Amino acid sequence: MAYSIAKAVVIKQGNVFFLSQPEGHVPLTREHGFGLYYHDCRYLNGYELMVGDEHPEPLAARSSEGARAVFQLTTPEFQSVDGRTIDRETIGLKWERVIDAEACVMHERLDIQNFGFEPVEFILRMRFRAGFEDVFAIRGIVTESEGKRWRPRWIDKRLVFSYSGGDGVLRSLAIHFDPLPTAVKGAGVEFRLAFKPGESKQLRTALAIDEVERPVKRPAAHFRSSVNLPVSHASRDEWTKPETEFDCDSLLLSRVMRRSLMDLQMLKTSLGGDEFFAAGIPWFATLFGRDSLIASLQALAFWPETPAHTLRLLARYQGAEVNGWRDEQPGKILHELRVGELARTNKIPHTPYYGTIDATPLFLILLSQHGQWTGDLALFQELRSSVERALEWIDRYGDEAGDGYVSYSGNTKNGLLNQGWKDSGDAVMTSEGRLARPPIALAEVQGYVYLAKASIAELFERSGEPRQAARLRAEAEALRVRFNRDFWMEDEGCYALALEAGHRPCRVISSNAGQALWAGIVDERQAGRVVNRLMQPDMFSGWGIRTLSLQERRYNPMGYHLGTVWPHDNSMIAAGFRRYGFDEEARRIFVGLLDAAIEFEDHRLPELFTGFARSEYGVPVRYPVACHPQAWAAASVPYLVQISLGLTPKAFEKRLEIVRPCLPDFVRRAEIRRLRVGKGSVDLRFERNRDGVLETYVSRVAGDLSVDILNSPA
């Protein structure tokens, strides 16, 4: 990409989203990720505003309500219609955008004011470009297209762009104006505007997306005739209403939590009536098995309804046959679902694509955790056949090497070579720097399988099937013993990244061992050594734990999975530290991520950032094409709040346990309100006493619920 999207201003509602530069523009040059997207298609890939012959200069940009953005611009020196040079900062422009996903429209209002002492008349130009590119074409993965782009036309007082896709779908973008432009020139319009001193005027536009799923010869007759132009938007409070509320006296933590919860709301997307967290904008704004499951796990305490929808949706698409094109196998949970032209014409296998080794055990883990929060077996019973098929996949198809570990060989033709969460082609290697040879068994995936079997066993037992529960627990324990024997590196005090072909350990220090702690598969005797190894300077950058040690041959602080820092990875590792009692180390990770969030716009943690040490630059160095918002990054701080406060649901027993609550030292007071556990809810207050110890107070309990405060606070 020629343009970094690291500072993109993003708005989204439902399935429609828009990325622009901080001045509100979408570059008219190619090779960038900005634009207006819907259903895996970028409808608008160029949009610029000019006053005279100059671009306005940005002063401020905000997108704090999710579906709404506001840009404050001013003018540099420019030429008026009569040839006069108008001083800089004479004209102010407030550019407001709101997405209405139900109507598939992006409304805009441009308020223009002359702050000068003299009248001024100038030409305001808007230029557009509509490429109708599939997201896979933008990313350079697939470039072929069989469709036809029509020339822009002025039809019924609208500027209309259209594309007849190779999939038989007519996609169109109709741009409405109020007032109408003075002139229309190809793919642009002009307004001749005259202002008295201090005078203000307003221009409104509406960019309306449309899809017609039938072949047509001439597109003009199929455009919608009108769009409501008034700009309206949800209040900020409507974007920050998770069922559970959090408040604290730390301005930093409050702002990061607010941004995180707003981003999760923003990323909520629906498919067939079921809601899920889309993985990330712009590249992964769709249903992802692994990402949607992990984000739902992280956000369970704050968004308790979304996991059930996500599980039902993934069960609906659960693998039913052996299909090499899509990496599908019976019982397997999908990796990624796409609905754009390239998917519909079978140019890509994402219909859905199943090339993930970890979504299936994560499906079982989320279902188990949902049960612990709700105390209800209804969803387990509803999805019972999907659970059994997932367990069968783990034991039959997942164990590709036949050695008791879930492994993969990868798809070298049309899919993913690596199929864990580190799925770039160079993410799994040996200590010599050679790429690992398949079949590959990843360390954290064995942890997921262990946790899946151990936790789903309780739901079987509570459903009156103790034999099935006992079998699953025995299989989990046997896996735990094998894992600690085969993956452990005594000389390194850590677990190997993976086992490659021939049962050979990839003797590489990586963050994967931290996620093994999260899953609980790590032997208690080894946990302290793993924590210590991960917190050494070659792994802990000061902002977070790197994906790969800087001592490894393939380390690259800018490599996607070769040394970067991922917030979701760190939140899970911190949870693993807490599981084994290493509270101070978990707190260091929490503080590092919060400190990093200060340096990003709106305190939004991106998908990832580079692995350069905090001591080297003093600020986290951006990864230029990281998704933001991104679901499991947005859910990371809410999850860190949950695990730091030790909120442990036991809804089947009508209990909430609070285990060793701890928070960063700069947080003196925190409150959790309307935390739902089973059919009850509770308000909690945490305060530091004079000795700096965080004490817990139960402010309110509703329903049949008891609260147990366990162990000494940290």
Side-chain angles (χ1 to χ4, degrees), residues 521-700:
I521 197 173
V522 170
D523 192 306
E524 291 276 358
R525 296 168 296 179
Q526 314 296 5
R529 295 184 66 189
V530 176
V531 171
N532 179 65
R533 185 64 191 85
L534 294 178
M535 294 303 292
Q536 294 302 306
D538 64 309
M539 284 297 291
F540 185 67
S541 72
W543 306 113
I545 291 174
R546 299 179 176 95
T547 45
L548 188 68
S549 165
L550 58 79
Q551 296 177 358
E552 300 296 342
R553 294 195 178 185
R554 280 192 174 265
Y555 169 75
N556 179 351
M558 299 168 289
Y560 197 51
H561 297 117
L562 299 177
T564 49
V565 175
W566 290 64
H568 92 277
D569 189 28
N570 276 266
S571 75
M572 296 174 76
I573 294 169
F577 287 5
R578 287 273 291 160
R579 173 191 279 269
Y580 287 89
F582 294 90
D583 298 346
E584 179 54 35
E585 290 80 359
R587 185 158 39 194
R588 286 180 63 194
I589 291 176
F590 196 174
V591 171
L593 287 178
L594 288 175
D595 287 349
I598 297 173
E599 306 298 335
F600 294 102
E601 283 73 17
D602 290 330
H603 296 81
R604 170 186 281 154
L605 284 169
E607 175 188 15
L608 72 158
F609 47 93
T610 62
F612 293 107
R614 183 172 186 167
S615 59
E616 189 172 357
Y617 290 101
V619 294
V621 179
R622 301 169 187 271
Y623 188 84
V625 292
C627 288
H628 64 93
Q630 207 259 9
W632 60 17
S636 294
V637 171
Y639 188 49
L640 283 164
V641 166
Q642 178 204 322
I643 63 105
S644 295
L645 293 177
L647 306 178
T648 308
K650 302 286 183 180
F652 288 114
E653 303 164 18
K654 301 177 182 178
R655 289 192 303 118
L656 171 68
E657 292 181 354
I658 301 175
V659 183
R660 302 189 321 274
C662 64
L663 285 170
D665 292 340
F666 52 78
V667 182
R668 307 292 301 176
R669 176 193 58 79
E671 291 184 51
I672 293 280
R673 292 186 286 271
R674 298 196 311 276
L675 177 69
R676 185 168 22 140
V677 181
K679 297 186 183 302
S681 68
V682 63
D683 293 350
L684 302 167
R685 189 174 79 256
F686 302 86
E687 292 185 1
R688 291 195 189 278
N689 61 25
R690 292 181 179 179
D691 298 324
V693 175
L694 199 65
E695 296 183 338
T696 305
Y697 301 90
V698 179
S699 305
R700 179 195 64 90

Side-chain angles (χ1 to χ4, degrees), residues 381-433:
Q381 291 163 349
E382 176 188 339
L383 301 180
R384 174 61 184 275
S385 63
S386 293
V387 170
E388 291 176 344
R389 284 184 287 146
L391 288 167
E392 184 180 3
W393 177 85
I394 287 171
D395 292 338
R396 180 179 176 186
Y397 296 97
D399 186 5
E400 184 167 319
D403 58 1
Y405 294 120
V406 169
S407 58
Y408 64 91
S409 289
N411 191 320
T412 58
K413 295 181 180 179
N414 54 270
L416 291 169
L417 183 64
N418 285 313
Q419 299 191 349
W421 83 262
K422 297 178 181 178
D423 57 8
S424 51
D426 56 0
V428 185
M429 75 297 292
T430 67
S431 58
E432 297 82 20

Side-chain angles (χ1 to χ4, degrees), residues 61 75 84 132 162 223 270 273 345 356 392 399 413 458 465 468 492 530 539 578 646 703 712:
T75 49
R84 287 186 297 129
F132 300 98
S162 57
F223 298 134
S270 63
T345 55
T356 172
E392 184 180 3
D399 186 5
K413 295 181 180 179
E458 180 176 354
E465 299 182 67
Q468 175 77 323
E492 294 284 2
V530 176
M539 284 297 291
R578 287 273 291 160
S712 299

